[in-house]
Amino acid sequence: MDLLRHLRHFVVVAHELHFGRAAEQLGMAQPPLSQSIQRLERELTVELFDRSRRQVRLTTAGELLLGEAEELLAGEGRLRSLMGQIRAGELGVLRAGVPPETPAVTLRSLLDGLATRAPGLDVELHELTTAEQVRMLTERTLDVGLVHHPVAADGLRFGAPVDVPLGVLLPRTSPLARGREVTLASLAGLDLVAAPRATAPGWHDHLLAVCRQHGWRPDRVRPARNPEFLCGLVLAGGGVAVEPAAVARREPRMAWRPITDAPLAKRTSGAWPDRSAHPAAAMFGQLAAEVLAAAEPTVPAPPVTSVPAARPWPVLFDTTG
């Protein structure tokens, strides 16, 4: 059965609610169109149209199918367009978001990998917080992003997660920097310098909860969106940050010490809409995980419910050669 052909017939009839006009629009006779709809109804074992009155009406099943059918047909159109772009050596534009603190070397590796795996793909990269990415992914103004978990959002799929260990950033002149490691309780009396809650609410709340559980209740949280500004606040004294070791490498006057009593890790993964996603979105998520894992040592972390343990996407671009 040519399901897509029958669905195309169904969509036209559903909009016209008149078999004669629909047949004329499709350029076919009415009897074959009626037979096509009947065959679709037999295949789905439901009635799609109420034909008991003078005017044709959609049944409940027909109303529900209409949206799904239109999305499926639109997806077929995008797929055919994508294949045409591949034949022509052009893959179109992938609108991708990355966190503002992403190091330049990571961005370079990501873009180089995309250029190798998908020549012809035009990547439109945006510097966006997790909250901004989630909103834009939901609004379909962004195709794929790199988000920090936990993420509370419906309608998104997540790629393989990467867990980067966190430690405490503090001035090298701090007495705490004399030891090889620190406990969260030893930070009592110090402020926490961190990204504003609005940038990644789930992660922000999780970080504060862990700090409180282990004896550190920061007097206040000083917001810092930019890594350089964060380092400046820490160097000014009175505050520390909980960040990956890579942040300390930006500033020689900073020290990074691992946390002993509460190992913390920042979980990051690709994210994209779970329906009608850009065909290259999953590939971006997979490559980003590889680049992030290579950039930092990774550690095991408790499972996050919003991130599936197994790879949830089909391989649309085979990079094994």
Side-chain angles (χ1 to χ4, degrees):
M1 177 184 179
D2 188 347
L3 180 61
L4 292 177
R5 179 170 65 87
H6 293 300
L7 287 175
R8 277 191 287 270
H9 293 169
F10 162 74
V11 168
V12 175
V13 176
H15 284 296
E16 293 292 335
L17 292 177
H18 191 282
F19 278 83
R21 290 195 300 268
E24 183 177 351
Q25 183 176 331
L26 289 165
M28 62 189 298
Q30 183 172 334
L33 175 58
S34 297
Q35 293 169 8
S36 175
I37 298 300
Q38 290 169 2
R39 183 169 182 184
L40 179 61
E41 289 177 321
R42 289 196 301 271
E43 179 71 20
L44 301 178
T45 64
V46 293
E47 288 189 358
L48 301 173
F49 295 97
D50 182 357
R51 305 172 179 83
S52 63
R53 305 175 185 180
R54 291 177 60 91
Q55 183 179 5
V56 176
R57 294 186 180 182
L58 284 168
T59 63
T60 301
E63 291 176 351
L64 294 174
L65 177 62
L66 180 57
E68 297 291 334
E70 288 177 327
E71 186 168 346
L72 182 60
L73 293 172
E76 182 208 17
R78 287 191 295 270
L79 184 60
R80 290 185 182 277
S81 175
L82 176 67
M83 295 302 104
Q85 290 172 341
I86 291 176
R87 289 193 298 271
E90 300 176 356
L91 285 177
V93 177
L94 177 71
R95 301 166 299 178
V98 295
E101 71 274 13
T102 306
V105 64
T106 301
L107 289 177
R108 177 62 185 270
S109 298
L110 182 58
L111 292 173
D112 286 349
L114 287 169
T116 300
R117 298 190 183 189
L121 178 65
D122 183 7
V123 182
E124 187 180 283
L125 211 56
H126 299 268
E127 182 185 42
L128 299 165
T129 66
T130 290
E132 291 169 335
Q133 291 183 54
V134 169
R135 175 179 56 79
M136 293 177 66
L137 288 168
T138 303
E139 295 172 351
R140 302 300 178 93
T141 56
L142 193 70
D143 297 313
V144 65
L146 283 179
V147 299
H148 298 316
H149 292 272
V151 172
D154 296 325
L156 297 181
R157 297 185 70 181
F158 300 95
V162 175
D163 297 317
V164 177
L166 303 181
V168 175
L169 286 176
L170 61 163
R172 288 193 177 276
T173 56
S174 169
L176 291 171
R178 297 171 187 166
R180 298 176 60 88
E181 52 197 18
V182 298
T183 65
L184 288 177
S186 68
L187 304 178
L190 294 173
D191 295 339
L192 171 64
V193 181
R197 183 181 185 278
T199 63
W203 166 248
H204 188 275
D205 293 347
H206 172 70
L207 174 60
L208 284 178
V210 172
C211 291
R212 291 166 183 152
Q213 289 168 7
H214 290 81
W216 179 33
R217 291 182 173 270
D219 293 339
R220 61 174 174 160
V221 179
R222 302 187 195 178
R225 290 172 60 103
N226 184 282
E228 281 70 27
F229 186 65
L230 180 145
C231 290
L233 288 181
V234 171
L235 290 173
V240 296
V242 178
E243 295 289 338
V247 179
R249 294 196 287 268
R250 299 171 182 256
E251 171 54 65
R253 293 172 294 173
M254 300 278 289
W256 183 89
R257 296 293 181 265
I259 303 169
T260 57
D261 56 338
L264 273 165
K266 180 173 284 188
R267 172 165 286 191
T268 305
S269 79
W272 58 92
D274 63 355
R275 302 176 71 175
S276 302
H278 190 291
M283 181 195 65
F284 179 93
Q286 180 179 4
L287 177 61
E290 296 171 5
V291 170
L292 291 174
E296 288 280 358
T298 58
V299 296
V304 177
T305 55
S306 61
V307 181
R311 188 174 68 181
W313 57 81
V315 178
L316 297 180
F317 296 84
D318 186 0
T319 61
T320 60

